[in-house]
Amino acid sequence: MEAESNQKLPVSSSSQSQERLKKGPKMTRKGAYAAISYMASAVLLIMFNKAALSSYNFPSTNVITLFQMLSSCTLLYAMKCWKIISFTTEPQITTNNPVTLIPFKTLVHTLPLAISYLLYMLVTMASVRGINVPMYTTLRRTTVAFTMIVEYILTRQKHSYPVVGSVGIIILGAVVAGARDLSFDAYSYGVVFVANICTAIYLASIAHIGKSSGLSTFGLMWCNGIICGPILLFWTSISGDLGRMINFPHLFSHGFQAVMLFSCVMAFSINYCVFWNTTLNSALTQTICGNLKDLFTVGLGWLLFGGLPFDLLNVAGQSLGFLGSCLYAYCKLQGK
């Protein structure tokens, strides 16, 4: 596909280039696999995080994030040492530094991405605690609007009218679904909207920085881990989160340990799939995939943790959001 694109570029007119920018890339089969993999990982991760924070009442979201990050870095380091994976896409980008495993200049280049990742992880983790799963997924759907704005600011990416229309349907569905939420909590709702902004910045940063860094998906994950890990470890130490974890009554419970293990596994999987999906498709496509998987998240959330009582207006809003996500997926598959 890249060779085809490079051959056509010299003879493309200015208007054709602008039209491609407006429509965005057409989703390939590999891109579809990346999107489906992300959605499966995301559903499971939310369930395990919700179980740790609500069912076991674990006191610190920061510690869960730290565990996930340390587990990810350990696995990446082992696979790199065993030469199972590569951190770069270009053979000439090599380094003898046994600590960073990548050139220092490349590490600095990914610094904005790592900081946005840390904010995204911390705020997103905190946003799931104070709100039921169905309402959480409803509010998170509004991320698409933030993503479109940030994507335009960073990359000047425009979208066709069918795509904008499908996003409008998603947002309308979120408004309808939440119109009669009796468990309204201004603080929890505010945290979710901050998480939406952080998510939009993070995904746009992947599309903007990730493709120019020369790093593979695993390399980008490694940079995020070695930059954010020490910062998060320091913060959890001075804030007392590590002390609260040591005194946690269910710390040695096999059930809680199993939940934490699967949470770390799913965090690694979803981080890989986020990079894979965003670089193959786009930041907005990644956000829409988050909306598509919400149908399964809402169902499991109602079944496992409880949530909103059955309400026709809520069901109508959920259906509108799902319809908008499906329309977006159709537009991308058709190259619109």
Side-chain angles (χ1 to χ4, degrees):
M1 291 293 294
E2 285 186 13
E4 259 184 8
S5 178
N6 290 337
Q7 288 173 2
K8 293 180 179 179
L9 186 58
V11 296
S12 296
S13 67
S14 176
S15 60
Q16 288 175 324
S17 299
Q18 291 176 358
E19 184 66 21
R20 283 199 303 272
L21 181 62
K22 183 178 180 181
K23 288 184 176 181
K26 180 179 179 179
M27 184 179 290
T28 63
R29 179 176 296 182
K30 190 175 181 180
Y33 290 153
I36 293 171
S37 299
Y38 161 75
M39 288 186 281
S41 300
V43 171
L44 293 174
L45 179 62
I46 290 178
M47 294 300 112
F48 287 121
N49 285 345
K50 186 67 176 177
L53 293 170
S54 297
S55 299
Y56 286 97
N57 201 28
F58 189 71
S60 176
T61 58
N62 293 345
V63 172
I64 294 180
T65 305
L66 179 62
F67 280 162
Q68 292 173 347
M69 203 171 291
L70 292 176
S71 301
S72 177
C73 285
T74 301
L75 183 58
L76 287 170
Y77 186 85
M79 290 194 295
K80 179 67 168 63
C81 291
W82 294 335
K83 298 183 179 179
I84 298 175
I85 61 173
S86 173
F87 285 169
T88 62
T89 57
E90 302 175 16
Q92 64 268 27
I93 304 179
T94 57
T95 180
N96 294 322
N97 191 327
V99 178
T100 64
L101 300 181
I102 60 171
F104 181 75
K105 183 179 180 181
T106 304
L107 187 66
V108 172
H109 180 72
T110 62
L111 186 60
L113 175 61
I115 298 302
S116 65
Y117 167 76
L118 182 61
L119 292 174
Y120 156 75
M121 287 288 290
L122 293 178
V123 179
T124 301
M125 186 72 72
S127 67
V128 78
R129 179 192 287 275
I131 191 170
N132 56 65
V133 171
M135 204 61 225
Y136 169 79
T137 55
T138 297
L139 294 177
R140 288 287 282 164
R141 287 199 189 103
T142 60
T143 305
V144 294
F146 297 103
T147 303
M148 291 184 75
I149 294 171
V150 173
E151 204 173 36
Y152 176 77
I153 293 173
L154 291 181
T155 64
R156 296 300 173 186
Q157 174 68 54
K158 297 180 181 179
H159 300 280
S160 64
Y161 291 119
V163 167
V164 174
S166 64
V167 169
I169 294 175
I170 292 170
I171 296 174
L172 176 62
V175 172
V176 172
R180 286 214 295 253
D181 178 25
L182 300 180
S183 61
F184 178 80
D185 181 333
Y187 174 78
S188 298
Y189 277 41
V191 172
V192 174
F193 281 117
V194 172
N196 290 349
I197 296 173
C198 291
T199 302
I201 294 173
Y202 172 56
L203 296 179
S205 297
I206 293 176
H208 183 62
I209 296 175
K211 294 178 181 179
S212 62
S213 65
L215 296 175
S216 66
T217 300
F218 294 114
L220 291 170
M221 292 171 63
W222 172 256
C223 289
N224 279 351
I226 62 175
I227 292 174
C228 299
I231 298 174
L232 192 55
L233 178 60
F234 174 76
W235 175 252
T236 53
S237 299
I238 65 172
S239 65
D241 285 341
L242 290 180
R244 284 189 286 272
M245 178 203 70
I246 294 174
N247 297 322
F248 181 59
H250 301 292
L251 185 61
F252 297 103
S253 164
H254 294 309
F256 174 74
Q257 291 176 349
V259 167
M260 287 297 297
L261 174 63
F262 284 113
S263 175
C264 291
V265 171
M266 287 300 102
F268 179 88
S269 175
I270 196 174
N271 283 336
Y272 175 80
C273 292
V274 165
F275 282 112
W276 189 27
N277 190 27
T278 306
T279 52
L280 279 179
N281 298 309
S282 70
L284 185 61
T285 299
Q286 168 61 31
T287 306
I288 298 294
C289 288
N291 293 334
L292 274 172
K293 56 89 171 122
D294 285 346
L295 178 67
F296 305 100
T297 305
V298 168
L300 286 174
W302 255 313
L303 181 64
L304 298 176
F305 305 111
L308 296 173
F310 178 81
D311 181 90
L312 186 60
L313 195 62
N314 187 271
V315 172
Q318 301 284 0
S319 301
L320 275 174
F322 185 68
L323 174 62
S325 299
C326 291
L327 287 175
Y328 176 86
Y330 175 77
C331 291
K332 296 305 290 182
L333 289 171
Q334 296 297 316
K336 295 182 179 180

